[in-house]
Amino acid sequence: MNGRLRLGVLAAMVVATITMTVGGFAGAASSGGNILPAVGNSTPKTGGTLKIVGSGDVDHLDTCCAYYTTTYEILRMVSRELVSYNAGYTAADQGTPVPDIATYKVSPNGLTYTFTIKQGVQWDTPTGPRQVTSQDEANGIKRLCNPINGAPPITYWTGAIAGMKSYCTAFQALTVPTAPADQVTALKTFMSTHNISGISTPSSSTIVFTLTHPSSTFLNVMALPMSSPVPVEINNYVPASVTEEENFISDGPYTITSYTPNTSYALTKNPAWKASTDTIRHQYFNNVSITMGESATAVQQQLQTGAADMEWDTTVPTAQVPGLVASHNSGFAADFFGGITYLVFNMKSTTQGGALAKPAVRQALQYCVNKRHLVQVTGGPAINQPINQILPSAMSIGYKKINPYPSANSAGNPSKCKSMLAAAGYKHGLKLTLAYANNPPMPAQAVALQADMAKGGVTLKLNEQPTQGAYFDFLETPKTHANWDLAFGAWFPDWTGNGAATYFSPLFDGREYAAGSTNYGDYNDPTVNKYIDAAENTSSLKVAATNWAKADSYLMTKDPGWVPLLDQALPQYIGSNVEHAIYVPFIGGFDPTNLWLK
């Protein structure tokens, strides 16, 4: 699916046709099509238990490999990073990292980042509070490429930090024993005998990163929960194992007191946390209760009746969205923070003489899609908007609005699709296979696309995969590429604002293509690769923005890799007992450390 995978989210988006206008509620903070509850300005209140309910568990509580937004929600409470994001609705708050547990300075050439960890930032270790050190941060980075459970987007680090690629190559080649105790020993031995040349710890409070090139995104990478420090005590457990997660050590405002997988978490105030060291989070609640195993409908009922305060991994059932919007329900939220749905071309397709290898064919197919129809069958305009380029507007750095294939009301132009296909050598149209998952809303999207493309002379054969998980595994397996020509993709960015890299690098850089790649269609173009390198290998946001915009334009006009379809919001709900709820795109939901109970 993803940039950051969302457990239960797509499956919860039950298809419904909605015909409403998009806009913010009265009194709500609203930007563009965003619908957000009013934050309010009341005095913070302390005490009580924050009740969070949802369907499933996190992917991994261990920061080495935590990638669901669900996980980010709980990690916001129990884990801190060198830098992170403020809760707020300004572009700077949402996309610019600020000091968290450390201050920092960057060398004039952009190659050296020196972080100094604040005194008083502490772990709640079993033996009592202990200062977080630079060695803990180095330990966290070294664990990212462990061969048991590593960071999914590992190239964020190996592509930037000097010596990390060779370190990770060696670590991932390690022969892993079968017994857990032996695994722990093998990992500890490797990490204690191997270092990353681009990381040094001149003192217990100072860590220095040396990069292979200037970077416009390194601070964003360091703000990811995967870049968190990890106490050395955690090295005594297998990464991301249940035992390790049951012994989680917090440096955030809350600490985990009990955890039953797929059932519940209980959190309480962390006595080792000091508000004086944390300008980002607060400790307003006495306790936090997280309950799992509920359906999206049951979660919504509890939120609306006041039995719960926040949702975990579900979204508002789509069929309920029209009523909530029409009534201006104060708890409803829909934030367009960069989620997109797109139609990917299989660049290695041999169908009809390799038709999709021809840019002219891919340009023609842009006109065969009725995006307005797709909006209707995917939940309506409150949570979906047509998109005509790779980058959504949430990516403020690099976004430049374009619409190379305009049509009235975004409904496509079938006659133009036909004529362009004929000019490209396909006067009798095309017969292509569309892959999709048997999870809402994809079946409805597939049927709509099949009907609309037929009007442009394109016959679609449908290839349905049984589950969302099986579907993305199917797309990521090179040997299955002979079985599809077009496929739906869904993606959410790893950060907003300066997040163009989280689209172009994983989705279009063919130099990194391999089994498991999210560049599903095996797209590889030297011009796009040139723009990616120019944008990533600079510390200048202006230079990066220019090159991301060029990549976007090229990919839409000269050598299309997709048909962009929808800019998506995740419909969410906040309970009526909650005050000062701020939606934070980075965690894909409301920040539990900046709200309180009425």
Side-chain angles (χ1 to χ4, degrees), residues 145 147 164-175 190 194:
C145 53
M164 187 157 180
K165 187 170 185 178
S166 59
Y167 167 88
C168 287
T169 298
F171 204 177
Q172 291 166 351
L174 184 69
T175 300
F190 182 91
H194 294 76

Side-chain angles (χ1 to χ4, degrees), residues 219-243:
L219 286 177
N220 300 95
V221 171
M222 296 310 294
L224 291 170
M226 285 170 277
S227 289
S228 301
V230 174
V232 293
E233 292 88 342
I234 291 300
N235 292 348
N236 293 319
Y237 306 99
V238 175
S241 64
V242 172
T243 304

Side-chain angles (χ1 to χ4, degrees), residues 42-180:
S42 64
T43 302
K45 295 182 180 180
T46 58
T49 298
L50 178 68
K51 298 176 182 177
I52 304 175
V53 291
S55 175
D57 210 333
V58 302
D59 55 341
H60 303 292
L61 193 58
D62 190 330
T63 57
C64 73
C65 36
Y67 210 30
Y68 286 173
T69 47
T70 300
T71 318
Y72 283 18
E73 186 174 320
I74 189 172
L75 289 179
R76 181 76 165 181
M77 296 184 275
V78 300
S79 179
R80 298 175 64 184
E81 295 77 45
L82 297 178
V83 293
S84 190
Y85 298 93
N86 280 320
Y89 288 133
T90 68
D93 285 336
Q94 297 191 354
T96 305
V98 297
D100 185 356
I101 69 169
T103 57
Y104 68 89
K105 60 182 180 180
V106 186
S107 63
N109 65 3
L111 294 177
T112 304
Y113 286 70
T114 302
F115 295 88
T116 302
I117 298 174
K118 303 172 186 175
Q119 291 302 303
V121 178
Q122 299 182 126
W123 300 111
D124 68 326
T125 69
T127 56
R130 174 175 72 76
Q131 172 69 32
V132 176
T133 68
S134 58
Q135 289 78 21
D136 293 325
E137 175 61 27
N139 184 52
I141 301 299
K142 292 175 75 172
R143 294 175 76 252
L144 290 178
C145 53
N146 77 80
I148 296 176
N149 276 299
I154 191 63
T155 55
Y156 284 157
W157 295 268
T158 58
I161 300 172
M164 187 157 180
K165 187 170 185 178
S166 59
Y167 167 88
C168 287
T169 298
F171 204 177
Q172 291 166 351
L174 184 69
T175 300
V176 179
T178 302

